[in-house]
Amino acid sequence: MTRVHPLVSPWGRFGLYSFFIDAPEPAIVDTGIASSPAEGMAPALEAIGRRIEDVRWILLTHGHIDHVGGAYALRELTGRRARVVIHEADAPMLRSRHAHVEEYLASRGRYLADPDGAAKVAAATEAVISGEMEPDVLVRGGETIPLGGDVTVSVHAIPGHTPGSVAYVLDGQDDVFVGDAVQVHGAANGFPGYTDPVAYRASLERLRDEVRPRHLYLGHPYRRADGVPYGVELDAGQAREAIQGSLDIEARVGAAARRCLREGPRETDSPYSPFAPVADGLGYTGDPTLEPSPFFTSMHAYRAELVREGTTHHG
């Protein structure tokens, strides 16, 4: 059996989860932020008798800064011997800090009314992303990554949270690493965030019905309906619960969002404007301005969905 060791890094209000796969060619799934490899991963691996220099694969579940931020630094610590893997749709976020600013301006930044918002995101990318880089391996889903010996990892495309979100499945033992693709009720902000609700639901259903994790590894301490966070490793029962819970809350959020959009979003002095009826209907009282602002990310995703269907105006 191939051992999996969680590597937890703090970052503001969030706990960042990375994972060491103790294979003949060791892999780390997700890399936290710029400081995570040297300050968190290296000592954690040393404590279990492993060396960060021996890591040969860096498997990125998606392109957000708190998952790719440490990739350049980690590869440097391996003497540039580790190969970096990411889905082709999220690769621009590894190649360019500015891609994160563009994403902000195109989605949640449209609603936050912060004249310094883009500059703040740019400053965050400078602080959190250790370096821009070209990935070694681009995936689309369906690939198998050899970790030496008879250890392999299968790649499954699970878009929704981002276009290039993937799950890595440790073959033969059904350990599944999903990054932020299973949001449940969100992490510190208490709201699920995704860029494509239809793809998000389809990916959750695929995880539930086809992948069927024996162990599920999440990217953050995502929370149940009662606000209690899941741990760093979920067993099969908890995995089913988290996936179904994610589907259930998306159904509630989606119904409220589509109703608001079809009635016509209205600008008000609410911090949730123009989607205040959604927050009211769901009883959501979190601060929608705190990055990564999942409330406005998801609301923009529903708006884009209805624009594609031709049932609302761009606005």
Side-chain angles (χ1 to χ4, degrees):
M1 180 176 176
T2 303
R3 294 289 304 277
V4 173
H5 299 275
L7 306 171
V8 181
S9 305
W11 183 43
R13 298 168 297 120
F14 293 88
L16 308 180
Y17 296 161
S18 302
F19 303 94
F20 176 73
I21 302 176
D22 197 0
E25 294 183 21
I28 286 181
V29 180
D30 287 338
T31 61
I33 59 173
S35 59
S36 298
E39 295 180 11
M41 295 177 186
L45 292 176
E46 185 177 346
I48 61 171
R50 300 293 183 266
R51 303 189 322 148
I52 203 165
E53 294 90 340
D54 295 332
V55 171
R56 289 296 173 267
W57 293 93
I58 298 170
L59 309 177
L60 301 173
T61 62
H62 65 293
H64 284 162
I65 59 175
D66 50 327
H67 294 259
V68 306
Y72 183 93
L74 176 56
R75 190 180 67 164
E76 290 295 302
L77 289 173
T78 71
R80 302 186 182 179
R81 290 188 291 272
R83 305 182 74 193
V84 179
V85 182
I86 193 169
H87 191 284
E88 62 182 15
D90 279 15
M93 305 179 88
L94 185 65
R95 296 183 178 118
S96 169
R97 289 184 173 94
H98 189 65
H100 299 267
V101 180
E102 292 176 339
E103 182 210 32
Y104 168 84
L105 290 171
S107 58
R108 62 194 184 278
R110 296 173 57 176
Y111 311 100
L112 290 170
D114 182 353
D116 299 321
K120 291 175 182 175
V121 173
T125 66
E126 289 294 331
V128 170
I129 296 177
S130 53
E132 298 174 332
M133 63 187 302
E134 181 66 28
D136 298 291
V137 180
L138 291 175
V139 294
R140 301 179 70 180
E143 298 84 359
T144 298
I145 298 171
L147 302 189
D150 60 355
V151 182
T152 58
V153 167
S154 296
V155 183
H156 297 258
I158 48 169
H161 178 66
T162 67
S165 290
V166 301
Y168 296 104
V169 179
L170 194 50
D171 294 322
Q173 55 194 70
D174 296 329
D175 291 345
V176 183
F177 307 86
V178 293
D180 295 351
V182 177
Q183 288 272 308
V184 201
H185 285 254
N189 285 11
F191 202 89
Y194 33 83
T195 61
D196 184 334
V198 173
Y200 181 64
R201 285 196 68 83
S203 294
L204 289 168
E205 290 167 353
R206 183 180 183 195
L207 287 169
R208 180 192 64 190
D209 300 337
E210 299 176 30
V211 178
R212 301 172 65 183
R214 192 177 306 170
H215 295 100
L216 183 67
Y217 297 93
L218 304 177
H220 301 286
Y222 285 109
R223 302 182 183 194
R224 300 177 174 89
D226 60 6
V228 176
Y230 283 101
V232 69
E233 177 186 271
L234 282 62
D235 63 23
Q238 292 171 322
R240 285 193 300 273
E241 177 187 275
I243 293 167
Q244 188 59 51
S246 299
L247 285 161
D248 293 345
I249 186 58
E250 189 283 321
R252 290 184 58 218
V253 172
R258 294 181 181 105
R259 183 166 55 249
C260 172
L261 286 160
R262 289 189 174 113
E263 290 174 355
R266 292 185 296 275
E267 297 293 340
T268 66
D269 59 2
S270 165
Y272 305 100
S273 176
F275 307 108
V278 180
D280 292 343
L282 296 170
Y284 179 60
T285 59
D287 186 345
T289 67
L290 293 176
E291 281 291 287
S293 190
F295 178 80
F296 284 123
T297 296
S298 296
M299 291 305 102
H300 182 72
Y302 289 108
R303 170 173 263 176
E305 172 194 275
L306 293 188
V307 166
R308 287 193 298 271
E309 295 174 359
T311 54
T312 190
H313 299 290
H314 281 272

